[in-house]
Amino acid sequence: KKYTYIFGTSEEHRTALERLYNLEQSRFRLEDFFEAFNVEPVSNNFFKEYKNFYQDFVFHISNDKKSRAIFEQEKTDDVEKDIRNFVKRLLGRLVFLYFLQKKHWLGASNKKYVDGDTNFLYNLFKYNEQSEEHFYSKWLSNLFFNALNSPNRENDYFLLPSGKKVCVPFLNGGLFEEGQEPINHREISISSYLFEELFIFFNSYNFTIYENSPEDHTVAVDPEMLGHIFENLLEDNKDKGAFYTPKEIVHYMTQESLIEYLKTHLSHSREAIENLIKKHITTDFNKEEIKKVEKLIDTVKICDPAIGSGAFPMGLLQEISGLKAVFHFALDKKPEDWKPAAVKQAIIQNSIYGVDLENDAVDIARLRFWL
């Protein structure tokens, strides 16, 4: 297995420094090296700190008379639960935007989105620091609902506190729909101190937009963490059957599903199909047979009846797109004709389906596919 830290970038390197310091203090056994590059402690530490912030935001809003009154005006059965759900959405949106800003998509100079600010949110906060408790009401609400959820803006413009116009894309994902919030949510006051500490926490981790296979981890916060966060913060998660599924189990399940599917349509041995799925070995298939397998893969329909945060269908997307790449080159097609984004979009649109009792689960699953 290969484990990776990335240095020499503008990222902060807290995680790498902590893990390598632990290695230095160890007895330098082989398992000590594996532990230093193990992604699970990073994910667990991130979630523990994230949950503390979640609880701080909930406590602050619940105990602020003006903010609490906004939720009480809705006259629902459970004000505390409404506040918790509001905070989940707020923090989920911010985590999502941390992934997006790493793609240079926030604060770009034009709609090509190649030169955006990779620290857009924290810089937006620092511009606004003097406004004390109005960062959510004045700037985040404007960014969420008037920019990211608004398709009819001239050149995708968003006006910074400095008066400068920058580009922020319209995201057609449902995450930034305002209808889920209380009517007067833009009047909610949240301490600037909480936001500053939250952004410092986020900035200490290296966010990546890649969901790696179990064989190749970059030690970072990847979109899989969105699912981990959702499953751990879901109310009564045991009663609702929400559990975190490790990558290794997802990897096994997705491969076995595809093997069983192909077995029902092909006369090849199970070993040959396993070699194709697990090792991408095509020597047991001639070109006509590869075309047949590709057609079977193109027409497969996969439904997860309890999609949760999308771990299983996301794993299938990775498996199928990997197979499509193998088929492309096995059939001697031109390398420049390989379009991975278009391939993945076709798989998502045509092959992958899912439902869930929890609306939040479906939103998180969409989010991961969007990323």
Side-chain angles (χ1 to χ4, degrees):
K1 292 186 178 180
K2 181 175 68 176
Y3 297 89
T4 310
Y5 290 113
I6 301 173
F7 290 96
T9 69
S10 59
E11 307 292 346
E12 292 192 28
H13 302 112
R14 167 186 144 174
T15 299
L17 294 174
E18 284 180 354
R19 307 300 294 166
L20 293 176
Y21 176 77
N22 290 343
L23 177 62
E24 185 188 28
Q25 304 303 307
S26 73
R27 292 163 55 194
F28 288 98
R29 298 167 300 175
L30 184 60
E31 52 265 38
D32 294 326
F33 281 86
F34 283 132
E35 179 62 20
F37 287 83
N38 186 355
V39 77
E40 293 307 321
V42 180
S43 296
N44 291 336
N45 289 341
F46 178 85
F47 174 71
K48 286 176 185 174
E49 292 186 64
Y50 182 97
K51 190 170 185 179
N52 288 335
F53 278 105
Y54 161 75
Q55 291 169 340
D56 289 345
F57 272 76
V58 169
F59 180 83
H60 175 85
I61 294 173
S62 183
N63 287 276
D64 179 79
K65 289 184 178 179
K66 180 183 174 185
S67 297
R68 187 181 180 88
I70 292 169
F71 290 90
E72 290 173 341
Q73 289 168 8
E74 299 294 300
K75 300 191 184 303
T76 60
D77 295 334
D78 192 339
V79 171
E80 293 295 336
K81 185 175 182 180
D82 292 342
I83 292 172
R84 291 197 298 272
N85 286 337
F86 170 81
V87 173
K88 286 178 196 174
R89 288 192 297 272
L90 171 61
L91 298 188
R93 285 164 174 155
L94 292 175
V95 171
F96 176 68
L97 293 181
Y98 255 81
F99 291 116
L100 239 61
Q101 68 185 11
K102 296 303 178 188
K103 293 165 70 77
H104 302 276
W105 282 11
L106 298 181
S109 60
N110 56 56
K111 292 173 74 172
K112 291 182 179 178
Y113 291 105
V114 295
D115 61 351
D117 184 357
T118 57
N119 205 15
F120 178 83
L121 285 173
Y122 188 61
N123 289 334
L124 180 65
F125 171 77
K126 295 304 283 185
Y127 280 134
N128 184 66
E129 202 171 14
Q130 67 277 10
S131 298
E132 290 298 324
E133 299 187 353
H134 301 297
F135 182 58
Y136 173 78
S137 58
K138 187 173 181 180
W139 291 106
L140 281 186
S141 291
N142 190 29
L143 175 65
F144 290 168
F145 310 116
N146 296 350
L148 294 162
N149 198 46
S150 177
N152 301 316
R153 289 171 292 131
E154 180 190 357
N155 294 320
D156 285 355
Y157 280 146
F158 176 75
L159 191 65
L160 293 174
S162 63
K164 180 182 177 182
K165 286 183 178 179
V166 295
C167 292
V168 169
F170 164 62
L171 303 179
N172 185 20
L175 180 68
F176 296 96
E177 291 177 356
E178 194 168 6
Q180 302 177 79
E181 309 307 340
I183 292 174
N184 296 317
H185 72 95
R186 296 198 185 207
E187 298 174 16
I188 292 173
S189 297
I190 302 174
S191 170
S192 60
Y193 169 79
L194 283 177
F195 280 115
E196 178 157 30
E197 291 298 305
L198 180 70
F199 290 144
I200 290 172
F201 160 61
F202 283 163
N203 285 341
S204 69
Y205 284 85
N206 176 25
F207 280 71
T208 173
I209 47 117
Y210 301 106
E211 295 215 28
N212 301 307
S213 74
E215 283 77 27
D216 187 8
H217 275 320
T218 298
V219 179
V221 181
D222 70 9
E224 185 192 28
M225 276 302 299
L226 292 172
H228 199 19
I229 289 166
F230 160 77
E231 285 155 3
N232 280 277
L233 291 184
L234 187 66
E235 306 288 330
D236 308 316
N237 60 349
K238 288 186 178 179
D239 293 339
K240 292 184 177 179
F243 291 93
Y244 171 66
T245 310
K247 281 183 178 178
E248 290 79 4
I249 294 177
V250 171
H251 198 52
Y252 172 79
M253 289 170 62
T254 53
Q255 289 187 337
E256 288 298 312
S257 298
L258 288 173
I259 290 167
E260 292 298 326
Y261 167 67
L262 291 179
K263 254 185 71 181
T264 63
H265 295 279
L266 298 174
S267 58
H268 291 71
S269 68
R270 182 181 178 89
E271 183 181 7
I273 297 172
E274 282 189 359
N275 284 336
L276 176 65
I277 299 296
K278 294 183 177 181
K279 301 177 182 177
H280 291 174
I281 296 172
T282 60
T283 50
D284 292 316
F285 299 82
N286 60 40
K287 288 190 177 181
E288 288 305 313
E289 290 169 337
I290 289 174
K291 288 179 182 178
K292 181 180 179 181
V293 175
E294 183 175 38
K295 189 172 182 180
L296 287 169
I297 291 295
D298 286 342
T299 55
V300 68
K301 302 290 183 187
I302 299 141
C303 180
D304 188 339
I307 196 171
S309 59
F312 180 66
M314 178 59 70
L316 277 163
L317 171 65
Q318 306 291 7
E319 290 291 333
I320 294 174
S321 61
L323 279 175
K324 291 284 289 181
V326 172
F327 298 151
H328 183 90
F329 294 105
L331 295 172
D332 299 324
K333 295 180 182 178
K334 294 178 181 178
E336 59 267 26
D337 291 338
W338 171 243
K339 308 293 183 187
V343 168
K344 287 187 176 181
Q345 187 174 18
I347 296 166
I348 294 168
Q349 289 180 333
N350 300 319
S351 295
I352 294 175
Y353 300 83
V355 294
D356 203 280
L357 289 169
E358 289 291 319
N359 290 333
D360 289 349
V362 176
D363 286 342
I364 292 290
R366 281 179 177 153
L367 211 62
R368 287 171 69 176
F369 279 102
W370 202 101
L371 286 169

